[in-house]
Amino acid sequence: AQRVTQPEKLLSVFKGAPVELKCNYSYSGSPELFWYVQYSRQRLQLLLRHISRESIKGFTADLNKGETSFHLKKPFAQEEDSAMYYCALTASGNTGKLIFGQGTTLQVKP
Amino acid sequence: DTAVSQTPKYLVTQMGNDKSIKCEQNLGHDTMYWYKQDSKKFLKIMFSYNNKELIINETVPNRFSPKSPDKAHLNLHINSLELGDSAVYFCASSQERLNPGLNYGYTFGSGTRLTVV
């Protein structure tokens, strides 16, 4: 079964500290992984796709197939990064259905 | 020029009522979705339509009925509302999968906060 696990419900760091939001997935095929962000009372926005290998707002994520992980990282957190972050998976060749993790709230303190 | 728009943004209604939420996208996407975000912020897919055709129907009570008059619209009608239906409902759309294994990601609407009292 396809599953996405975000073990931390809340991650609290100080401004300028490194951030790592953990994401592990369960899928036997070739998954497509995403990170979405939801700022307070706003819509979900696509942050990163693993196939793009891009850096957005200083965030990066590397797909590690051996560890079945797709952790989101940023070297220096900013207060405006405070939001809910969702890791999501879709299975290749299917209907495009996204399976989301439980979400991690990132709180960046001044 | 909002890409995916939902109406209403807030909906407060009594148990037993019937209500509808509308969704429209102007991105030219072929696939649209409804997701439910519960009180614990967990997101779960409910329905998906591709070019007006239902392609995903998760385990959702049949009080929920999606309707897609054209590929730019996907509305959600809910009959006999219950307290447990209170949640935020998100509409989303995505680009057609032109190549197997390629997904461009979703564009979400701003959500409809439904409160059943």
Side-chain angles (χ1 to χ4, degrees), chain A residues 4 9 30 32 34 36 38 41-46 49 51 84 86 90-103 105, chain B residues 2-5 9-10 31 33 35 37 40-43 45 48 55-56 58 90 97 100-106 108-110 113:
Chain A
V4 178
K9 196 167 178 176
S30 295
E32 296 173 45
F34 303 82
Y36 283 81
Q38 186 179 26
R41 298 274 178 167
Q42 291 187 30
R43 70 185 69 206
L44 279 98
Q45 303 169 42
L46 178 63
R49 296 176 291 154
I51 57 171
M84 173 76 99
Y86 289 95
T90 187
S92 60
N94 79 350
T95 54
K97 169 181 163 181
L98 267 181
I99 296 164
F100 285 89
Q102 305 92 316
T105 299
Chain B
T2 305
V4 180
S5 59
K9 201 172 168 76
Y10 299 96
T31 309
Y33 311 82
Y35 274 77
Q37 187 181 44
K40 294 183 180 176
K41 304 286 189 183
F42 186 60
L43 275 161
I45 191 166
S48 172
I55 55 171
I56 296 175
E58 294 290 296
F90 284 99
R97 299 174 68 85
L102 189 63
N103 186 306
Y104 298 98
Y106 289 6
F108 279 89
S110 56
R113 186 173 293 273

Side-chain angles (χ1 to χ4, degrees), chain B residues 26-79:
Chain B
N26 61 6
L27 296 164
H29 288 172
D30 287 295
T31 309
M32 295 184 73
Y33 311 82
W34 277 108
Y35 274 77
K36 180 180 179 181
Q37 187 181 44
D38 62 23
S39 57
K40 294 183 180 176
K41 304 286 189 183
F42 186 60
L43 275 161
K44 188 159 186 225
I45 191 166
M46 299 173 70
F47 300 104
S48 172
Y49 270 72
N50 180 274
N51 252 323
K52 303 193 295 176
E53 184 183 340
L54 180 67
I55 55 171
I56 296 175
N57 185 350
E58 294 290 296
T59 310
V60 176
N62 55 18
R63 297 181 295 104
F64 290 79
S65 53
K67 283 187 173 54
S68 182
D70 55 61
K71 77 172 193 177
H73 296 84
L74 180 61
N75 305 323
L76 184 64
H77 188 76
I78 316 170
N79 289 329

Side-chain angles (χ1 to χ4, degrees), chain B residues 81-98:
Chain B
L81 277 154
E82 300 177 357
L83 292 176
D85 297 333
S86 295
V88 181
Y89 292 84
F90 284 99
C91 178
S93 70
S94 68
Q95 214 163 343
E96 184 178 4
R97 299 174 68 85
L98 298 173

